[in-house]
Amino acid sequence: MKQNVSWTYSSYRRKQTLRNWTVMLATFFCAYWAGISCKVDLDALRAGIPKGIEFISYLFPPDWTAFADMAMPALETILLAFLATVLGAFLSLFFGLAASSNIAPRWLRNLSRFLLATERSLPEIVILLLLISALGLGPFPGVIAMAFGCIGMLGRLFSDAIEEINPATLESIESVGARKLQVIAYGVLPQVLPSLLSNTIFRFEVNIRLSVLLGAVGAGGIGFQLYYSFQTLQYQRATTAILITLLLVFLSERLSNSIRKKLSQEAKL
Amino acid sequence: MNVSLDKQYLPSERYKRHAAYLSVLALVIIGLCTYFKFEPLLFITDFHYMADLVVEMTPPNFEVLWRKEKIFISILQTLSMAFLGTLVGSTVAMGLAFLAARNTTPHPTVGVIVRTLLAIERVIPSLVILLLFLIAVGLGPFAGMLSLAVGTVGMFGKLFANAIEGAEKEPIDAVYSVGASKLQVIRYAVMPQVLPSFIANLFYAFDINLRAAIGLGVFGGAGVGYEISMAMRLVRYRDALALICFTILLVFVVEKLSDWLRSRALGQDLLK
Amino acid sequence: MIEVRQITKSTKEGVPILKGISFTITKGEFVGILGPSGAGKTLTMRCLNGLTRPTSGEVLFTDHQNNLVNLTHAKGRELRKARRQIGVIFQGFNLVKRLSAIDNVMIGQLGRINLLRSLFYGFTDDEAMRALAVLEHLKIAHLAQRPVGSLSGGEQQRVAIARAIYQQPSVMLADEPIANLDPTNARKIMQILKPLAEQMPIIGVFHQPDLVMEFCTRIIALKDGVVVRDGDNKMTRSELIDLYGAELSEIEASQRILQPV
Ligand SMILES: Nc1ncnc2c1ncn2[C@@H]1O[C@H](COP(=O)(O)OP(=O)(O)OP(=O)(O)O)[C@@H](O)[C@H]1O
Ligand SMILES: [Mg+2]
């Protein structure tokens, strides 16, 4: 009897060990080929480290006088991220409603979910490249790209929040003879407002980071200053831009965390 | 009537308040937009440019996908950058997380230092990290992969550390009570508890890194992102659309695949 | 006013739940529906507002302008117009938790006010004061500004009643409107509903035979999806035992929930 039990345990262990080895070997195999295709070159990395450190020394001291020039681009970045977030959240709300099973008919819901998933697979920078080809460089394509970039993520989050609403509440509003839009205004929006705001603010934080990247491609703002300084070898000026970017990202993260904490307390009510 | 609403709750007061907020907000936005010469109307007046672009892009020239070997390689590069970046980054992140978490750190000071470093690292924009690596190891997928790895450390070091700190205390005490060392406690009491969240985050990191790999490719001169930006720059719009469609499909499929693998891994207590 | 003709309802799998229910309610009536849990009372009420479509049979509603609406087929505008005049108090209240009590009450008139105005919560001060007056009538005016989610069950129940009263319907459907109230408050609500029934017929589902006999003008008893009794407001002990089962007398002995009949 006792033997029987220990035999079962060891076979269980053996099966697990086998699985672990399979997973590890598969990972290693993938990593090996990925390494070849990525042209991983440890010698280059070893040689590159001193180069990198030497380069970092060029970055210091930051060019303090450039701060004045960068204040406006920083403000522009905030404005771009803000406008994009507001516009994006607004668009996402429509998609979010259309993608919720308790609001939209089944076919519309499935279609919207599919569109949202497609958008999520499309990196913002690709949208920006497209818009730049159509509209030229400038902050405007950047905002539109970020706004469209929101839709995939926010629309999905919004519709998940909306689908959590108890259908009985919506039905009870219908029972007084209200129309669909009224049901949305009274049954849906107040219920999802905290999660709506909290996700939107989180997206603002993401957009601040993103606007640095998009700015470099030509959407203006602090990202453009950063990239441009690098390209023109004004490294100390670039450091200033980096510091300002850090500050922006840090502040937006702080702001978003504190607001979202408050909102989540409110939502518990 | 002996009761009345507080004045601020009267509907008429409510609109006045809301109208005031909204108009202040609108004024600020309009002011800033004019200052930065930012014209949303452009979207309407210049809309025909967008329509032109759409016309120029269709039909997508799917032939590039198999005619050019370069494209195939670039897609492999994007996938590899994301995979290796995630693997290297999350391994380092895991190690740092054990140093950072309050319940497993070798010394509280170490914990504070590691957590501060992670916090600083997290706010550095990925573009800056990429530019540094481009200078260190040159243009190409290796620099992209390294910057993804560093980004992953920042992103997931903190998440992992939080997961470790969230581990229940009783099992840890139980393993200590039989005289186990700190490493043994980590192996037998902490690891089993945090592994599911590690695995879930690992797949999440991969999804994020795949998108980032496409974006960073534009600057790093590698991967499918670079190919798209080149096609756009060379005004080969039909090639670009084919690549974009393919990218969407790729991200879609890889995401589904990683969802499936994750649910299998989590369902089976893999690696325990 | 409202006529129910042989309605039946089966689940998707074909299990019958309502098995041919008919009754007619006219002006001035205060109908109490009694029946054990799962008898189909809520389902019947839902059919009366067009929230559930019966499998067969018809629900005919005559509105205040003497238009006949067939609730089993009505759609869109016609259905909304009829629903305006049919107030419902739901068994689970189904209020909007994050809106204030007074906003929930004002939802009652959404069917009547201009769509554009209503989308922006554009109520007039006058409407707000009237809603407040209804809350005051139910003794919860002091809670008007609190989000409904933070109210107790009994308070929410009274907000739901206030909403139905504020709606000014021509028929009121009340699904267990006093289920969450203490005996005193339950009696008070019955005292409020009773005079209302003179303006609009009320169909209420109750689990308190004593209060029903005291306040209602007519009692309909439902069991297993069939009307087992439809008549005046006096039910005998043996009728009640038939309805709720033989255990009733034991409970009665221990709790004295029934008054001697
Ligand atoms: N959508 C549905 N699908 C399947 N069965 C249902 C559905 N709705 C109700 N039922 C069933 O129909 C029966 C009657 O339900 P109903 O809610 O009308 O009961 P009730 O008389 O109101 O009971 P209670 O006094 O507990 O409120 C119950 O057995 C219930 O399980
Ligand atoms: Mg019921």
Side-chain angles (χ1 to χ4, degrees):
Chain A
M1 192 66 213
K2 199 178 175 194
Q3 245 179 350
N4 197 3
V5 170
S6 72
W7 176 82
T8 319
Y9 178 71
S10 75
S11 96
Y12 165 74
R13 278 306 315 179
R14 207 175 318 143
K15 228 168 145 187
Q16 264 200 342
T17 321
L18 187 70
R19 204 160 49 206
N20 291 356
W21 277 105
T22 320
V23 169
M24 274 197 244
L25 272 179
T27 312
F28 186 77
F29 180 78
C30 289
Y32 180 74
W33 283 104
I36 289 181
S37 111
C38 269
K39 305 195 180 111
V40 169
D41 184 349
L42 293 181
D43 290 334
L45 184 61
R46 214 171 298 131
I49 289 173
K51 248 197 276 178
I53 291 172
E54 190 193 341
F55 172 72
I56 289 176
S57 72
Y58 294 150
L59 291 174
F60 289 97
D63 180 1
W64 301 110
T65 54
F67 262 106
D69 302 350
M70 304 251 176
M72 275 301 140
L75 194 61
E76 191 177 1
T77 293
I78 297 175
L79 178 74
L80 293 187
F82 178 78
L83 285 179
T85 313
V86 172
L87 189 63
F90 195 70
L91 293 171
S92 308
L93 186 57
F94 287 98
F95 277 94
L97 285 166
S100 305
S101 58
N102 44 2
I103 302 289
R106 206 183 168 76
W107 65 269
L108 182 61
R109 173 189 186 259
N110 291 344
L111 179 71
S112 315
R113 291 241 156 186
F114 174 75
L115 286 178
L116 289 177
T118 309
E119 201 288 315
R120 267 203 311 284
S121 316
L122 185 66
E124 283 83 2
I125 200 147
V126 174
I127 307 180
L128 182 65
L129 288 174
L130 281 175
L131 288 166
I132 285 179
S133 329
L135 304 173
L137 290 178
F140 182 67
V143 169
I144 302 288
M146 274 195 278
F148 275 108
C150 291
I151 296 175
M153 173 189 140
L154 284 184
R156 169 70 191 276
L157 290 172
F158 286 179
S159 78
D160 285 350
I162 292 171
E163 284 190 344
E164 274 180 26
I165 294 175
N166 185 355
T169 304
L170 304 182
E171 203 175 49
S172 108
I173 297 177
E174 266 168 34
S175 84
V176 304
R179 305 171 66 130
K180 198 108 204 168
L181 280 176
Q182 292 173 321
V183 173
I184 291 170
Y186 288 83
V188 176
L189 292 187
Q191 297 290 79
V192 296
L193 200 65
S195 97
L196 226 71
L197 283 180
S198 143
N199 286 323
T200 306
I201 289 166
F202 175 67
R203 185 65 206 197
F204 174 70
E205 191 190 324
V206 173
N207 277 348
I208 287 271
R209 283 162 196 262
L210 203 62
S211 67
V212 176
L213 199 65
L214 298 190
V217 188
I222 195 78
F224 177 70
Q225 295 290 332
L226 199 163
Y227 196 60
Y228 180 76
S229 310
F230 262 106
Q231 295 287 304
T232 52
L233 312 182
Q234 297 170 285
Y235 292 131
Q236 297 179 346
R237 197 180 152 86
T239 313
T240 315
I242 293 176
L243 288 178
I244 291 185
T245 311
L246 291 188
L247 193 71
L248 283 185
V249 173
F250 177 75
L251 287 181
S252 71
E253 194 183 298
R254 267 295 145 93
L255 184 77
S256 118
N257 280 348
S258 73
I259 296 181
R260 285 191 301 148
K261 209 177 224 168
K262 271 200 198 114
L263 281 171
S264 78
Q265 277 162 3
E266 179 147 322
K268 270 190 211 122
L269 196 135
Chain B
M1 192 180 311
N2 49 9
V3 280
S4 69
L5 280 178
D6 292 352
K7 189 144 182 275
Q8 53 176 353
Y9 284 95
L10 273 180
S12 59
E13 294 293 320
R14 197 153 70 173
Y15 324 133
K16 273 184 214 151
R17 207 168 54 236
H18 290 180
Y21 291 154
L22 278 180
S23 46
V24 168
L25 192 68
L27 275 181
V28 170
I29 290 180
I30 291 172
L32 285 171
C33 285
T34 10
Y35 183 82
F36 288 112
K37 305 202 173 45
F38 177 83
E39 294 169 54
L41 284 181
L42 229 67
F43 193 60
I44 298 158
T45 53
D46 282 7
F47 193 78
H48 60 278
Y49 290 121
M50 311 251 297
D52 291 350
L53 183 68
V54 171
V55 171
E56 276 178 58
M57 290 183 97
T58 43
N61 180 17
F62 283 115
E63 276 180 24
V64 283
L65 292 178
W66 52 83
R67 279 285 161 76
K68 279 196 192 165
E69 201 187 337
K70 222 175 87 194
I71 302 289
F72 180 70
I73 291 175
S74 77
I75 290 162
L76 274 187
Q77 276 179 350
T78 300
L79 284 172
S80 316
M81 280 194 280
F83 180 76
L84 269 189
T86 310
L87 199 66
V88 173
S90 55
T91 311
V92 175
M94 216 181 279
L96 289 180
F98 280 109
L99 295 182
R102 285 187 189 83
N103 47 355
T104 54
T105 186
H107 192 276
T109 330
V110 177
V112 172
I113 292 174
V114 174
R115 251 177 288 143
T116 317
L117 283 178
L118 284 176
I120 295 175
E121 210 268 356
R122 230 182 14 259
V123 289
I124 300 180
S126 51
L127 182 63
V128 174
I129 298 172
L130 178 71
L131 289 173
L132 280 180
F133 278 119
L134 285 182
I135 286 166
V137 301
L139 211 64
F142 189 37
M145 177 237 131
L146 286 173
S147 67
L148 286 179
V150 172
T152 310
V153 172
M155 204 167 26
F156 289 95
K158 188 184 169 198
L159 280 181
F160 287 169
N162 284 349
I164 295 169
E165 284 177 1
E168 278 177 30
K169 212 167 153 24
E170 289 76 19
I172 296 177
D173 289 345
V175 177
Y176 267 127
S177 74
V178 299
S181 71
K182 195 152 204 161
L183 278 179
Q184 284 172 320
V185 169
I186 289 179
R187 167 68 183 83
Y188 289 100
V190 182
M191 273 305 249
Q193 286 193 54
V194 296
L195 209 65
S197 116
F198 277 9
I199 292 177
N201 278 321
L202 206 68
F203 283 98
Y204 178 49
F206 179 69
D207 286 351
I208 290 187
N209 279 342
L210 182 61
R211 282 152 223 245
I214 297 166
L216 287 182
V218 174
F219 300 92
V224 70
Y226 180 68
E227 293 300 328
I228 294 177
S229 78
M230 277 322 277
M232 302 285 288
R233 231 168 271 171
L234 299 176
V235 208
R236 288 205 306 258
Y237 289 132
R238 291 179 48 208
D239 293 8
L241 185 59
L243 285 172
I244 290 172
C245 291
F246 185 75
T247 311
I248 292 178
L249 193 72
L250 182 80
V251 176
F252 211 84
V253 170
V254 170
E255 194 171 278
K256 283 277 168 298
L257 205 70
S258 91
D259 271 357
W260 178 76
L261 272 176
R262 179 184 54 193
S263 62
R264 267 190 70 107
L266 290 178
Q268 292 193 347
D269 290 340
L270 211 66
L271 299 166
K272 210 171 221 175
Chain C
M1 295 249 72
I2 212 162
E3 183 180 355
V4 180
R5 280 190 195 158
Q6 280 299 323
I7 54 169
T8 66
K9 177 77 190 174
S10 315
T11 59
K12 273 191 220 100
E13 297 81 39
V15 184
I17 298 175
L18 301 183
K19 304 164 188 163
I21 289 179
S22 309
F23 53 80
T24 306
I25 314 287
T26 50
K27 210 165 172 149
E29 282 190 295
F30 184 2
V31 182
I33 296 185
L34 290 178
S37 213
K41 305 179 294 294
T42 298
L43 210 54
T44 311
M45 298 292 254
R46 289 174 61 85
C47 290
L48 295 185
N49 186 261
L51 287 169
T52 297
R53 309 241 145 175
T55 314
S56 70
E58 283 176 339
V59 179
L60 302 172
F61 170 67
T62 317
D63 68 13
H64 59 204
Q65 292 161 328
N66 274 332
N67 297 319
L68 188 76
V69 185
N70 187 334
L71 285 178
T72 21
H73 301 303
K75 276 206 197 85
R77 212 182 136 75
E78 190 188 15
L79 180 62
R80 287 201 302 272
K81 234 179 118 190
R83 279 179 174 172
R84 267 179 226 173
Q85 297 184 34
I86 307 174
V88 188
I89 300 163
F90 287 89
Q91 189 169 3
F93 328 131
N94 303 348
L95 298 168
V96 186
K97 297 253 177 344
R98 292 184 41 81
L99 282 183
S100 64
I102 191 161
D103 280 340
N104 266 287
V105 173
M106 288 195 286
I107 284 177
Q109 292 228 330
L110 281 187
R112 293 176 202 274
I113 65 179
N114 176 290
L115 176 68
L116 196 65
R117 165 159 90 93
S118 71
L119 288 186
F120 297 96
Y121 286 62
F123 303 110
T124 60
D125 287 356
D126 184 48
E127 282 165 341
M129 293 321 282
R130 269 194 292 133
L132 191 68
V134 180
L135 286 173
E136 165 70 6
H137 193 48
L138 293 163
K139 303 283 177 290
I140 47 168
H142 58 287
L143 302 173
Q145 289 142 20
R146 284 256 300 276
V148 160
S150 71
L151 301 182
S152 78
E155 288 161 349
Q156 291 191 28
Q157 179 122 56
R158 279 179 280 171
V159 175
I161 297 172
R163 190 187 91 168
I165 295 177
Y166 178 74
Q167 188 183 339
Q168 298 179 326
S170 46
V171 181
M172 191 183 305
L173 311 176
D175 199 352
E176 305 195 14
I178 54 173
N180 287 275
L181 299 175
D182 60 79
T184 320
N185 270 313
R187 180 167 285 275
K188 276 189 193 149
I189 295 296
M190 291 307 263
Q191 281 162 353
I192 288 170
L193 290 179
K194 175 100 187 158
L196 266 181
E198 278 151 30
Q199 300 153 36
M200 54 180 116
I202 298 178
I203 309 173
V205 173
F206 299 97
H207 281 309
Q208 296 86 344
D210 53 337
L211 287 177
V212 170
M213 285 187 231
E214 185 179 341
F215 288 98
C216 293
T217 57
R218 172 177 164 194
I219 299 179
I220 295 178
L222 276 186
K223 191 172 185 178
D224 294 333
V226 203
V227 175
V228 291
R229 176 209 195 267
D230 186 353
D232 63 5
N233 64 347
K234 297 282 169 269
M235 266 179 101
T236 59
R237 265 189 59 100
S238 63
E239 271 182 314
L240 281 172
I241 288 172
D242 278 351
L243 188 59
Y244 291 111
E247 292 86 353
L248 185 75
S249 47
E250 291 167 30
I251 300 165
E252 183 202 2
S254 62
Q255 294 188 346
R256 302 217 147 265
I257 54 165
L258 294 182
Q259 295 175 342
V261 183

